[in-house]
Amino acid sequence: VGAAAMAYVTRESPPPETELKTLSPWRTAPGSSHKYTPRTVKRQAQAMNGLCEYVHDGDTLSFIPDGDGRELRVRLHGVDAPEKGQAFADEARQWLRSQAQGKQIRLLVKDIDQYGRYVARVYVGESCMNSEILRLGFAMRYEKYCDPVQDADLASAEATARDARRGLWADDDFINPREHRRRYGTVH
């Protein structure tokens, strides 16, 4: 993470409220029974600290912000981990669990997706879980949602794994998770 992003993450007061994105109160996400409360996320990014309560898969976790008992679903920004039943899905989930579950983490929230999940960079200490899971080859970069400048570290991490044929990059028959969902749907 660059110095400007780290300065923002550690800053106590948020930047001026410009370009806000607000969700409707108690809206149910499409195709889900999960309800979320009204939230406003600054497009510049919002920093949050709290506990990683549970890791659902290689790119989704449950998070409880400090001083707040509500549970939030968080999707790792720029990461597309294999779907349940795909090669490396279990490895991705287990790795993220070993790194984050039950630990204090810091989020740099980028957006809220159509399912009501907070899309964020996830940090355990100084380690960015988004970059690390890509570097290990347990996930692919979700290029569609990556900014070429702000997310250059994600592209570099993925290239490192691909060049070393690490993880899913060692499997010539591996199907991109996005393509897998298109063909077979999502398995929960």
Side-chain angles (χ1 to χ4, degrees):
V1 172
M6 285 306 293
Y8 177 76
V9 170
T10 58
R11 187 175 10 187
E12 290 185 22
S13 61
E17 293 191 18
T18 58
E19 297 186 57
L20 301 178
K21 177 178 182 178
T22 305
L23 298 175
S24 303
W26 296 103
R27 186 173 140 199
T28 302
S32 169
S33 61
H34 179 71
K35 295 191 185 250
Y36 50 91
T37 57
R39 300 302 307 153
T40 301
V41 175
K42 294 164 189 64
R43 289 191 187 271
Q44 301 100 329
Q46 176 182 348
M48 301 173 81
N49 294 308
L51 176 70
C52 174
E53 183 178 55
Y54 185 74
V55 171
H56 300 275
D57 58 31
D59 56 28
T60 308
L61 55 85
S62 289
F63 172 78
I64 300 175
D66 287 344
D68 191 343
R70 67 196 161 111
E71 178 183 288
L72 305 175
R73 284 276 179 127
V74 177
R75 175 110 162 70
L76 273 64
H77 166 73
V79 174
D80 199 8
E83 295 294 320
K84 186 175 181 178
Q86 265 192 293
F88 296 98
D90 290 338
E91 290 88 341
R93 184 182 68 247
Q94 290 301 334
W95 179 82
L96 190 55
R97 277 186 182 162
S98 73
Q99 299 300 304
Q101 190 167 299
K103 296 180 182 173
Q104 286 291 312
I105 63 174
R106 184 175 72 246
L107 304 181
L108 186 57
V109 180
K110 301 244 191 208
D111 202 356
I112 297 175
D113 70 10
Q114 74 255 26
Y115 305 108
R117 297 176 298 190
Y118 284 57
V119 179
R121 292 242 183 187
V122 176
Y123 295 88
V124 177
E126 295 302 314
S127 295
C128 177
M129 298 296 100
N130 310 53
S131 294
E132 291 305 313
I133 200 165
L134 292 170
R135 190 176 324 285
L136 292 168
F138 292 145
M140 300 180 92
R141 186 168 50 104
Y142 216 147
E143 191 172 356
K144 176 180 176 180
Y145 299 107
C146 289
D147 179 275
V149 175
Q150 292 180 354
D151 299 319
D153 63 317
L154 300 181
S156 175
E158 182 184 61
T160 298
R162 187 177 51 247
D163 292 349
R165 295 191 51 81
R166 196 176 297 141
L168 58 84
W169 298 105
D171 183 351
D172 292 329
D173 297 325
F174 184 79
I175 299 171
N176 180 311
R178 186 174 179 194
E179 176 63 20
H180 187 272
R181 286 189 298 275
R182 190 188 68 72
R183 289 184 194 176
Y184 308 109
T186 304
V187 179
H188 291 285

